[in-house]
Amino acid sequence: MAQTKRIGLYSPYVPEHAGGGERYFMSVTEILSESHDVTMLLARGGDEQAVREKYEQAFHLDLSRVHFKQTAIGTRASFLTKVLETAQYDVLYYLTDGSLFFSLAKRNILHIQFPFAFVQSGLINRVKLWNWHICNTNSAFTKKIIEQWWKISVPFVHYPYVDSALYVPATKEQIILSVGRFFSGEKSVMHCKRQDIMVKVFRSMVNHGLKGWKLVLIGSIDPGEDNAAYAARVATAAKGYPIKILHNASFDMLKQYYAVSSVYWHAAGFSIDEEKEPTKVEHFGISPLEAMSSEAVPVVVGKGGLKEIVEHGVSGFLWQTEEELTRNTAQLIENHDMMETMGQKARERAKFFSKEQFRKTLEEMIG
């Protein structure tokens, strides 16, 4: 029987955010808590019970065995205070925002979910990198960019998983679905989900005769005036068309939309050169994977981590231009047998990203 370890987990994005990265991080936390003493470290406050409930409800996870506590990491506390705090852990698991710190844990694991295109130069940063014993990324795309820019070896690709028992198909309706937070990307390196492009393309399809179909966009609005303004522009463009926008959908509602939707659109990375701006394309794509498990056929931008999920022409379509998005979608709408077959292939493909494989890789890294 494996020895119980004391494990600390830290992400600078917790507890403010609840996107795909946080879903991954909380999934790691849940699995480790089944057999280890696990503590989630919070640098920005937050009531323990409120944080637990937020992520349990958002991601349908059981975090009841996880401790939550305030940490000096990520604060203005002294270097000594921060580094001594890390010494109490057998394992420290850090989801980085690109920054690094020293840790005295017995084993330090660095998860890199962004394909950061900057150099970790200087002696101190190189020593900090050396301090992290094991590095892993969320996709082969992120791994390639990190190895290229950071000049390190990334031995593990730790793909997020989808629970195929949780995301199951129902009777399909004439719905095109897209799931993703609303943010402009203007003031950050984050990848805008490009709901504006999807609304534009759907409007054009309706104007050219598409009838009976509805576009549903689900996603919260990130804090910030630019993000609110972006969401407002999308809403304005959608007026007068069969387009539904939901900013506060519950998990059950989201799951139901996945189940009944026939097609899934994803436009993050549209018009971006992934070599020049890798952070602005989809690094992995957990929402498309959840849709695929529900037999919604993915029609997604062929960039970044999405190319690792969707097999073009088999379990969905990859596109680069608005014309290709329109044409691929029209093919499915006009051919019910193709839609049904691809939906089934999409669900089979989603099973490759299983919880069992996720757990196996995680246990290998933990040691």
Side-chain angles (χ1 to χ4, degrees):
M1 185 175 179
Q3 181 183 1
T4 299
K5 292 180 171 64
R6 192 173 189 189
I7 301 176
L9 297 103
Y10 173 68
S11 166
Y13 301 106
V14 174
E16 286 88 351
H17 298 281
E22 289 68 53
R23 184 193 186 284
Y24 163 86
F25 199 56
M26 293 301 162
S27 297
V28 168
T29 304
E30 178 192 50
I31 289 175
L32 291 178
S33 72
E34 294 172 2
S35 52
H36 299 285
D37 181 9
V38 172
T39 300
M40 177 66 64
L41 303 171
L42 305 173
R44 292 178 174 82
D47 174 77
E48 173 182 332
Q49 190 57 30
V51 174
R52 176 184 284 111
E53 289 178 358
K54 172 182 178 175
Y55 289 114
E56 284 185 332
Q57 292 171 10
F59 306 131
H60 199 72
L61 299 171
D62 177 11
L63 303 176
S64 61
R65 296 174 295 273
V66 180
H67 308 292
F68 290 78
K69 64 171 286 190
Q70 302 302 308
T71 180
I73 301 170
T75 72
R76 294 184 177 181
S78 70
F79 170 80
L80 187 60
T81 298
K82 289 186 278 191
V83 78
L84 287 178
E85 180 185 347
T86 66
Q88 65 186 292
Y89 297 106
D90 297 308
V91 177
L92 189 65
Y93 204 106
Y94 172 40
L95 189 158
T96 182
D97 58 359
S99 63
L100 300 167
F101 57 86
F102 286 104
S103 169
L104 293 180
K106 294 176 183 176
R107 176 171 293 205
N108 297 314
I109 301 176
L110 184 69
H111 176 70
I112 309 167
Q113 66 172 353
F114 286 95
F116 297 111
F118 60 81
V119 178
Q120 289 284 6
S121 58
L123 179 60
I124 292 178
N125 275 340
R126 299 311 298 179
V127 172
K128 284 180 180 178
L129 270 174
W130 172 83
N131 181 233
W132 292 91
H133 309 119
I134 294 175
C135 296
N136 71 86
T137 60
N138 57 350
S139 67
F141 171 72
T142 302
K143 168 185 164 72
K144 181 188 77 170
I145 299 298
I146 291 298
E147 289 186 334
Q148 175 185 336
W149 283 88
W150 286 19
K151 307 301 181 186
I152 61 171
S153 172
V154 179
F156 294 95
V157 172
H158 195 207
Y159 286 118
Y161 74 87
V162 64
D163 187 343
S164 60
L166 193 60
Y167 297 95
V168 295
T171 301
K172 293 299 182 180
E173 300 176 18
Q174 292 180 315
I175 294 174
I176 299 172
L177 175 67
S178 187
V179 178
R181 300 182 347 256
F182 284 70
F183 50 86
S184 68
E186 295 171 3
K187 296 182 179 181
S188 74
V189 297
M190 296 175 70
H191 51 289
C192 177
K193 302 297 184 180
R194 299 310 305 266
Q195 290 92 345
D196 57 327
I197 290 297
M198 291 184 280
V199 167
K200 178 185 176 184
V201 169
F202 186 75
R203 281 171 49 122
S204 177
M205 293 180 73
V206 171
N207 291 341
H208 284 84
L210 180 65
K211 289 181 171 45
W213 282 78
K214 178 167 62 175
L215 173 65
V216 178
L217 305 176
I218 298 179
S220 60
I221 304 173
D222 272 17
E225 291 182 5
D226 58 321
N227 299 321
Y230 170 71
R233 290 197 301 272
V234 173
T236 298
K239 285 182 179 178
Y241 289 81
I243 300 174
K244 189 171 188 176
I245 301 175
L246 299 170
H247 292 307
N248 297 294
S250 66
F251 177 78
D252 287 339
M253 181 182 291
L254 172 63
K255 197 168 63 166
Q256 181 61 20
Y257 268 110
Y258 276 137
V260 300
S261 295
S262 296
V263 178
Y264 182 87
W265 278 2
H266 207 72
F270 171 72
S271 78
I272 298 294
D273 184 328
E274 66 179 20
E275 295 297 328
K276 293 180 179 178
E277 297 183 283
T279 60
K280 290 188 177 292
V281 303
E282 193 65 69
H283 317 141
F284 176 68
I286 190 64
S287 295
L289 202 56
E290 291 168 345
M292 291 169 69
S293 183
S294 306
E295 292 190 9
V297 181
V299 185
V300 303
V301 170
K303 294 178 182 177
L306 295 171
K307 293 181 293 185
E308 298 167 48
I309 298 174
V310 177
E311 306 150 302
H312 181 66
V314 178
S315 56
F317 288 111
L318 301 170
W319 58 273
Q320 301 291 344
T321 67
E322 294 174 39
E323 292 73 24
E324 288 177 351
L325 171 58
T326 300
R327 185 170 64 251
N328 293 155
T329 305
Q331 275 186 271
L332 293 167
I333 289 173
E334 294 164 5
N335 190 330
H336 180 267
D337 289 343
M338 174 188 283
M339 178 116 58
E340 187 173 353
T341 299
M342 276 197 168
Q344 293 168 354
K345 292 288 186 181
R347 180 166 171 81
E348 284 304 309
R349 175 60 179 163
K351 289 179 181 178
F352 174 80
F353 302 90
S354 67
K355 189 173 184 178
E356 292 71 27
Q357 184 58 49
F358 184 87
R359 182 191 300 272
K360 180 181 178 182
T361 304
L362 180 59
E363 289 175 347
E364 189 176 351
M365 291 189 293
I366 294 295

